[in-house]
């Protein structure tokens, strides 16, 4: 069913220089030593496929069915249950290619080979750079969510994107965001500052942002959709100053939101001042209030700030396209979408290319913790880009040369232009 055009565009995609505009690649030691297949799977989206209901409100609870640890019988059962999900399909294609397995369908012999190879590769400090080279990745916009503000990762191609979540909960050092972090706990001591007031917190934010700028940061990251509404209301500094210091068990939900609204504005002002892109997780998270439409008041309040809307706002893939058409300061990011649903990603990309008024406004990122899943995500992205554009060529909508321009743009050119990545880096 694949056309000649698809084959040609897929090979162009495989040759394209890639800018991965959103990823989490963790240092190898974070996975435990020695590395195991259990640890690999638990650090991929496949873990979502074997979740037990646990009352989680944002889709990321970590209570799993009885298939852990992952020995071969458990692996085969996970493959049987989750084998049709895009998460599983692309992870296994990535693994098969990187570990030279005969097929992405992993039998007992391949399972054994992988179990032996994984710890060896993870013991080699060159493993992550090797995979980034093989993937043709030039730069990675990197979100170290386990300690927002961290500037250096396991490869020099990683450019930090400071996550704002740990700051919007920093009304008290004992409060935590949904990942368990707090800017005061993470940074006050290492930077030798004491945070006793909102003004001190604002200074701390400035200092950590400064470190990120010195490390080449071009963006900030908001994953607020996992912990609160995307709707940010205008908030007064005096109200936030009064709330500062409230103990997490004493603060009301409304005060939490007001404080978060104010700190978000602090970051928007920083973005405006330093010309930083604001990357926003939209869709899949707390589904009640993660629709990209909820972001409109913020987008309108900061017309000089570029907002990069992530994940196609899935399931609101049409909504993000409409937003990008209405607001010239909005960009769209395919990140994670090809792994959520490859088919939706193909359909979305076709629609976005028609709706978003200019080329170089749609980029891609892998959004993974491990290089194995990142590599699989890139294979997914190449497939999505080639299929979407082959459809548009084969039905006579555009010609092949236009399609080739779009392939290079989505995989690399757009990321370079949106994140002002220069050749000199
Ligand atoms: Zn992410």
């Amino acid at each position: 069913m694949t056309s000649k055009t698809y084959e040609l565009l897929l090979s162009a995609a495989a040759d394209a220089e890639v800018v991965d505009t959103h990823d989490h690649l963790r240092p190898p030691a974070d996975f435990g030593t020695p590395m195991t297949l259990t640890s690999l799977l638990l650090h991929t989206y496949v873990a979502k496929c074997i979740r037990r209901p646990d009352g989680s409100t944002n889709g990321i609870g970590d209570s799993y069915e009885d298939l852990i640890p992952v020995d071969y019988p458990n692996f085969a059962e996970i493959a049987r249950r989750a084998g049709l999900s895009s998460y599983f399909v692309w992870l296994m294609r990535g693994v098969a290619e990187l570990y030279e397995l005969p097929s992405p369908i992993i039998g007992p012999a391949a399972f054994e080979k992988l179990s032996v190879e994984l710890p060896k590769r993870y013991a080699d400090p060159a493993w992550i750079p090797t995979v980034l080279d093989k993937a043709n990745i030039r730069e990675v916009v990197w979100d170290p969510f386990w300690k927002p503000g961290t500037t250096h990762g396991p490869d020099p191609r990683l450019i930090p994107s400071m996550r704002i979540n740990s700051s919007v909960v920093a009304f008290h050092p004992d409060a935590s965001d949904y990942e368990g972090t707090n800017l005061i706990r993470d940074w006050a001591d290492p930077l030798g500052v004491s945070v006793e007031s909102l003004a001190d917190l604002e200074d701390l934010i400035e200092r950590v942002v400064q470190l990120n700028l010195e490390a080449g940061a071009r963006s900030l990251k908001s994953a607020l959709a996992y912990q609160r509404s995307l709707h940010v209301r205008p908030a007064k500094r005096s109200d936030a100053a009064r709330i500062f210091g409230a103990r997490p068990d004493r603060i009301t939900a409304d005060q939490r939101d007001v404080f978060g609204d104010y700190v978000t504005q602090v970051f928007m002002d920083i973005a405006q001042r330093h010309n930083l892109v604001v990357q926003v997780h939209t869709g899949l998270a707390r589904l009640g209030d993660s629709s990209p439409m909820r972001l409109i008041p913020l987008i309108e309040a900061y017309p000089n700030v570029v907002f990069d809307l992530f994940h196609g706002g899935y399931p609101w893939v049409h909504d993000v396209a409409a937003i990008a058409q209405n607001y010239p300061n909005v960009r769209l990011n395919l990140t994670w979408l090809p792994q959520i649903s490859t088919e939706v990603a193909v359909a979305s990309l076709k629609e976005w290319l028609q709706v978003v008024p200019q080329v170089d406004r749609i980029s891609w990122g892998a959004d993974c913790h491990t290089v194995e899943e990142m590599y699989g995500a890139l294979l997914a992205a190449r497939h999505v880009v080639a299929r979407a554009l082959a459809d548009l060529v084969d039905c006579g909508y555009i010609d092949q040369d236009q399609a080739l321009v779009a392939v290079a743009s989505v995989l690399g050119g757009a990321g370079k232009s949106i994140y002002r990545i220069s050749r000199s880096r």
Side-chain angles (χ1 to χ4, degrees), residues 22 24 45 143 163 221 281 310-311 367:
H22 175 57
H24 302 287
Y45 294 109
D143 172 11
R163 197 183 259 233
K221 166 75 192 293
H281 177 112
F310 279 11
H311 319 312
D367 201 1

Side-chain angles (χ1 to χ4, degrees), residues 169-392:
V169 298
F171 48 84
H172 190 282
D174 293 343
S176 292
D177 68 6
Y178 80 100
E179 294 284 5
T181 62
N182 177 309
L183 190 82
I184 303 171
R185 282 204 306 273
D186 280 344
W187 290 103
D189 279 354
L191 297 180
V193 300
S194 91
V195 179
E196 310 292 341
S197 65
L198 180 60
D200 292 343
L201 177 64
E202 288 165 327
D203 284 346
L204 180 63
I205 290 172
E206 291 283 351
R207 290 189 58 173
V208 181
V209 166
Q210 196 51 44
L211 293 174
N212 274 257
L213 291 171
E214 285 160 17
R218 297 282 196 267
S219 60
L220 300 168
K221 166 75 192 293
S222 159
L224 294 184
Y226 281 108
Q227 68 196 47
R228 51 156 287 164
S229 169
L230 280 183
H231 184 194
V232 175
R233 299 160 303 176
K236 289 206 219 90
R237 187 176 187 279
S238 55
D239 290 335
R242 256 194 303 278
I243 294 165
F244 184 89
R247 279 178 33 193
D249 57 343
R250 298 272 173 80
I251 195 169
T252 66
D254 194 51
Q255 287 174 320
R256 224 179 218 276
D257 282 345
V258 169
F259 190 83
D261 290 339
Y262 175 74
V263 173
T264 302
Q265 285 168 208
V266 168
F267 277 104
M268 293 305 119
D269 293 336
I270 288 172
Q272 194 155 256
R273 233 181 313 125
H274 295 289
N275 197 9
L276 298 174
V277 176
V278 175
Q279 306 186 298
V280 189
H281 177 112
T282 64
L284 270 186
R286 284 162 42 108
L287 287 171
D289 41 27
S290 62
S291 158
M293 290 300 201
R294 309 224 165 198
L295 207 59
I296 287 175
L298 199 66
I299 292 168
E300 290 181 348
Y302 290 91
N304 299 323
V305 171
V306 169
F307 291 86
D308 193 8
L309 306 193
F310 279 11
H311 319 312
Y314 185 84
W316 295 285
V317 293
H318 309 294
D319 305 46
V320 289
I323 295 170
Q325 174 163 122
N326 258 28
Y327 301 100
N329 57 323
V330 169
R331 307 289 176 266
L332 299 187
N333 203 315
L334 270 177
T335 178
W336 193 27
L337 194 57
Q339 304 111 280
I340 295 171
S341 164
T342 310
E343 288 304 305
V344 168
V346 170
S348 302
L349 182 56
K350 284 195 276 188
E351 176 178 333
W352 297 357
L353 288 166
Q354 296 181 326
V355 174
V356 179
Q358 288 185 22
V359 77
D360 283 348
R361 287 193 177 175
I362 303 165
S363 73
W364 169 82
D367 201 1
C368 299
H369 296 194
T370 67
V371 280
E372 286 78 5
E373 192 169 39
M374 179 278 286
Y375 194 79
L378 178 60
L379 297 179
R382 287 174 180 160
H383 167 80
V384 162
V385 168
R387 248 194 68 197
L389 284 148
D391 282 359
L392 296 179

Side-chain angles (χ1 to χ4, degrees), residues 16 33 45 76 114 117-118 122 147 165 178 222 274 312 329 337 362 384 390 395-396 412 422:
T33 313
Y45 294 109
L114 204 48
E117 273 298 308
L118 263 172
Y122 272 73
K147 186 179 174 184
N165 292 48
Y178 80 100
S222 159
H274 295 289
N329 57 323
L337 194 57
I362 303 165
V384 162
C395 74
S422 61

